[in-house]
Amino acid sequence: MLRTTLHPALAAALAATLAAGTLLAAPVTPVAAAKPVATTTDGCLSSVPDPGTSEPVQICYTIFRPADASRRHPVPILMHSHGWGGSRATDPAELSTYLRAGYGVISFDQRGFGESGGHAYVENPAVEGHDVRALVRLVSRLPWVRQDGPGDPRMGAIGGSYGGGYQFLTAFEELRVTGEPVLDALAPEITWNDLSDSLAPEGVVRTAWAAALSAAAVPSDALPPNVYKALVEGAATGSWPDGSVPGTEDMATFFRANGPKWHVEHGRRLDIPVLFGQGTTDSLFPLQQGLANWQTALTPRARRHSIFVAYNGGHVLPAVLPSGVSVDSDPCSRRLAGGSFADLSVRFFDEQLRGRDTGLRGYGRYHLATPDSTCTTVASVAANATYDVGTVATPEAGGAPLAYEVAAGPIRVAGTPYLTGTLTALGANNRAFYGLAVGTSPADAHLVQNNVLPLSTLEPVVGQPWRLALPSVAVDVPAGQSLYVLASPVSDTFVGMGSRTPGAVLLEDTVAHLPVVGR
């Protein structure tokens, strides 16, 4: 079996990116040093043991009490947590945007990280679900926190990546156990809907990120040993481990309940406002993961009171093969709130937790950043136009990406495209990678926002009708340039995970289905 190893320096760099909470979101302006705006209290609480053990696990936290909060003047509070491999905030300066706005904050080390004990089961309802519910109970006993009823603090949540995952876990677990989400508003950034689909779409592992996740877990021994070994196996083989290798985990089973998709499949939806922040150039939890949360995890009423923002940023790798863009910007938060996503979230919480009319607009809509750092606002991201492309062919196992023209500019696209056609791939374990691209010609066409998605078949396919998902994007294609489908035998996000045998993948009578703005 072909094996590949991510360069240790790259794996370490990616692991550091995962751990750095603010590096996983839209860029923020550093806050100048100032006098403390809050008092802090550190502590730990006891939660359930890790599966198969009997020792309770300590979950450690820091509570930030704003200067003007008191029993006579209670204030709303925000939960906060870190990215994968990181740790909680302990310095008020790290959360000064929210503290200066008068919000309390409880920041906590997730199980397996920081000062907390145990292993990370990656937001499993049966494990971390107990941790977050215990933290909510703790907050409900703070006399300076506004309470809506017994066990029901006026509470929002912030954080990105793994720090976005806990937000959905908390709201869904409270909904499952108590019948109410308890959290009153969320602001998750660059997080997932379905972990298996994020880490291994079509069963093809995003090897660079699998290596980074396992590397980031090493310093604190965060992962259960069988899960760590499985991630290493996935990074090496490019196939999502099924537990057949001794000492490894079936990853699809391990991750099945660890995200909003599982709760939705069990009939639960959140009826609370959510401010989504998702990265257009994010290659771990791409734009489509956030769109899936918006479309499935919320009730229609909640969507009317929610806002979806996509910025250029997130978990970003250099897009070299196929080539992409290098841009880091948040034009939609700037348009909606005049500043960063953190500034937007304060206005959002002011409206949702305090009932203030701040003049914030954009509810019930998608606001998507383009590579040119403009903001496109749409009511729907569904494909609404078709374009005949003809035959889209790519060699397997090696070779350069090939671009096929879809439409000449000017054209604006914002949402989730896909291809349909007739597939022929005669090899075994066929793989190729596809995305939308822009250029003046096929020779200089580059990916719109860096992402590709794989086509993968284990057996030969001849003349089969096929639907091929493409990454969600937002782009304004100007006159003089064209929109292309880019087909590649390789991808640097899926390092070394092209086809195992030489050949070609042909998609004939191809039709591109695009979400065209203004149609």
Side-chain angles (χ1 to χ4, degrees):
M1 179 179 291
L2 176 67
R3 292 183 177 269
T4 184
T5 302
L6 192 68
H7 191 283
L10 177 56
L14 295 176
T17 299
L18 285 164
T22 56
L23 295 180
L24 298 178
V28 297
T29 303
V31 178
K35 342 186 254 191
V37 294
T39 57
T40 62
T41 302
D42 296 319
C44 300
L45 56 79
S46 291
S47 190
V48 298
D50 277 356
T53 69
S54 58
E55 186 72 22
V57 168
Q58 296 294 296
I59 303 299
C60 297
Y61 57 84
T62 298
I63 295 173
F64 300 84
R65 175 177 174 172
D68 62 348
S70 67
R71 185 185 296 270
R72 297 184 63 181
H73 179 65
V75 299
I77 192 168
L78 305 176
M79 289 185 82
H80 168 267
S81 197
H82 50 81
W84 182 261
S87 58
R88 73 187 191 270
T90 57
D91 184 346
E94 299 175 73
L95 299 164
S96 62
T97 297
Y98 304 99
L99 297 173
R100 290 183 184 281
Y103 291 96
V105 180
I106 179 170
S107 182
F108 70 100
D109 289 329
Q110 300 208 50
R111 181 178 291 243
F113 296 108
E115 294 181 328
S116 290
H119 287 104
Y121 285 78
V122 200
E123 314 298 20
N124 188 299
V127 185
E128 285 92 349
H130 288 274
D131 304 343
V132 293
R133 288 170 49 220
L135 289 164
V136 171
R137 288 195 297 273
L138 171 68
V139 169
S140 72
R141 296 192 291 267
L142 296 176
W144 54 267
V145 172
R146 183 173 173 180
Q147 306 289 331
D148 294 323
D152 186 10
R154 181 66 60 87
M155 198 169 190
I158 55 175
S161 190
Y162 202 51
Y166 89 86
Q167 298 183 47
F168 284 113
L169 172 68
T170 305
F172 272 119
E173 274 299 279
E174 290 287 0
L175 178 63
R176 182 184 66 83
V177 174
T178 71
E180 297 290 340
V182 178
L183 294 182
D184 299 287
L186 311 179
E189 296 185 68
I190 52 176
T191 197
W192 67 88
N193 172 261
D194 178 357
L195 272 174
S196 285
D197 186 55
S198 295
L199 288 167
E202 299 298 318
V204 182
V205 177
R206 297 182 194 268
T207 46
W209 288 117
L213 289 165
S214 55
V218 169
S220 63
D221 187 30
L223 282 169
N226 57 336
V227 177
Y228 173 78
K229 291 176 183 177
L231 276 176
V232 173
E233 178 196 343
T237 67
S239 295
W240 207 216
D242 60 5
S244 58
V245 174
T248 66
E249 182 71 43
D250 179 341
M251 295 304 286
T253 299
F254 181 78
F255 282 142
R256 182 169 294 137
N258 298 17
K261 181 181 178 182
W262 181 80
H263 289 278
V264 173
E265 290 173 345
H266 285 74
R268 292 183 282 275
R269 290 193 176 192
L270 298 178
D271 195 29
I272 56 175
V274 180
L275 171 62
F276 290 86
Q278 204 75 19
T280 60
T281 51
D282 193 312
S283 57
L284 173 59
F285 302 136
L287 179 56
Q288 182 55 38
Q289 290 291 309
L291 296 177
N293 280 331
W294 171 280
Q295 293 159 352
T296 66
L298 303 186
T299 65
R301 184 176 73 166
R303 284 196 294 273
R304 290 194 296 271
H305 298 281
S306 298
I307 300 173
F308 192 101
V309 167
Y311 40 68
N312 293 307
H315 309 84
V316 179
L317 296 172
V320 178
L321 190 65
S323 64
V325 296
S326 178
V327 57
D328 189 10
S329 64
D330 185 7
C332 297
S333 292
R334 186 170 62 248
R335 174 196 280 183
L336 292 170
S340 68
F341 187 86
D343 297 321
L344 174 60
S345 64
V346 168
R347 289 184 62 178
F348 177 76
F349 287 131
D350 281 350
E351 296 210 345
Q352 302 303 329
L353 300 183
R354 287 187 159 129
R356 296 175 180 172
D357 183 358
T358 71
L360 181 61
R361 300 294 178 261
Y363 288 100
R365 294 290 185 271
Y366 306 91
H367 309 274
L368 311 179
T370 71
D372 296 321
S373 296
T374 61
C375 181
T376 296
T377 296
V378 292
S380 171
V381 292
N384 59 3
T386 59
Y387 297 81
D388 293 331
V389 182
T391 297
V392 174
T394 180
E396 298 187 83
L402 299 173
Y404 299 87
E405 187 175 27
V406 176
I411 182 174
R412 298 178 71 199
V413 173
T416 305
Y418 62 95
L419 302 177
T420 55
T422 303
L423 179 67
T424 297
L426 300 179
N429 204 359
N430 301 286
R431 290 179 180 177
F433 305 91
Y434 300 83
L436 289 181
V438 175
T440 59
S441 71
D444 67 9
H446 59 271
L447 290 171
V448 170
Q449 283 161 324
N450 296 0
N451 276 307
V452 293
L453 283 174
L455 178 151
S456 179
T457 70
L458 295 177
E459 304 293 336
V461 177
V462 179
Q464 292 292 315
W466 210 264
R467 174 175 169 143
L468 179 62
L470 295 175
S472 300
V473 297
V475 64
D476 296 340
V477 182
Q481 297 188 31
S482 291
L483 187 69
Y484 297 89
V485 169
L486 199 67
S488 178
V490 295
S491 164
D492 49 17
T493 303
F494 301 85
V495 179
M497 297 307 137
S499 292
R500 299 302 192 258
T501 56
V505 176
L506 299 177
L507 192 65
E508 299 177 288
D509 301 320
T510 304
V511 176
H513 303 254
L514 303 181
V516 178
V517 179
R519 290 292 293 266

